[in-house]
Amino acid sequence: MENVADALKMAFGIFMFVICLSVALAMLGRTKDTADTILWYSDKEHYIEDWNTGEQLKDGSRIVGRDAVISALYKAQKNLTVTVRIKLKGSGTTIEYRNSGDKKIEDIIKNNLQSKQDSIFTEKVEEVTVAGVYKIADDGTKITVFTEGNLNPQRVYITYTEQ
């Protein structure tokens, strides 16, 4: 009887060890996924890759059509840190859109971009740090160490100039 009791204790111990090992490996997998996600979104090249498609110019801008301007306006509507500037050639006016509720995208498209079906624009994307404490690595990567409150220390300015 003692051997059976000891065998049950050993079996229970092995079972608990296997459960603990499974939980530990699952947690390590989740930790790795979280670290990969954080590194992916903190890499400045990740954000710029979203914008760098199309014909590149020497100054880092690219040539786009009216559809890219409209797409950027809708992206700025969803993101508080994105500001879109449109410099129109014919009238010489500059339109600035920031998600502040003062202008509607439909009005901007209707009044300024509706007649620009075949227009070509140059797009320049600039990322500016406006708050917080950050460190710059040897390769130029900027890592935020401390932010003030819930503010996002990065602002993105997208400037479209009509050609």
Side-chain angles (χ1 to χ4, degrees):
M1 236 12 192
E2 281 183 29
N3 290 339
V4 173
D6 289 339
L8 286 174
K9 288 179 188 177
M10 288 175 45
F12 179 74
I14 291 172
F15 180 69
M16 292 306 293
F17 176 75
V18 169
I19 288 177
C20 291
L21 188 62
S22 299
V23 169
L25 289 177
M27 295 304 288
L28 282 174
R30 284 185 140 182
T31 304
K32 182 193 176 306
D33 291 342
T34 303
D36 288 344
T37 303
I38 290 171
L39 287 174
W40 173 258
Y41 284 108
S42 67
D43 185 14
K44 70 178 181 178
E45 297 296 324
H46 161 70
Y47 180 78
I48 294 173
E49 283 175 11
D50 290 346
W51 295 97
N52 282 347
T53 56
E55 184 180 339
Q56 297 292 320
L57 301 176
K58 290 182 181 178
D59 65 349
S61 60
R62 68 180 184 140
I63 297 174
V64 296
R66 181 179 78 110
D67 55 338
V69 178
I70 294 170
S71 175
L73 285 169
Y74 281 107
K75 187 170 188 170
Q77 184 180 24
K78 294 178 184 175
N79 193 341
L80 295 174
T81 63
V82 176
T83 301
V84 177
R85 292 186 193 123
I86 306 168
K87 297 178 182 178
L88 298 174
K89 182 170 120 180
S91 61
T93 60
T94 300
I95 302 158
E96 187 167 305
Y97 178 78
R98 176 180 303 125
N99 187 2
S100 58
D102 56 347
K103 295 181 185 174
K104 293 196 179 244
I105 293 175
E106 290 80 16
D107 293 338
I108 293 172
I109 294 169
K110 182 177 160 187
N111 298 334
N112 302 299
L113 299 174
Q114 191 71 31
S115 62
K116 312 276 185 194
Q117 295 289 337
D118 298 326
S119 293
I120 296 174
F121 295 87
T122 57
E123 176 189 65
K124 180 82 173 170
V125 179
E126 299 171 290
E127 187 175 1
V128 179
T129 303
V130 294
V133 178
Y134 59 90
K135 292 188 177 184
I136 299 176
D138 294 336
D139 63 350
T141 304
K142 200 181 288 186
I143 300 172
T144 304
V145 177
F146 173 75
T147 59
E148 299 164 1
N150 291 331
L151 296 176
N152 188 340
Q154 304 291 331
R155 299 284 185 263
V156 178
Y157 294 95
I158 308 167
T159 305
Y160 292 98
T161 308
E162 185 179 17
Q163 298 299 308

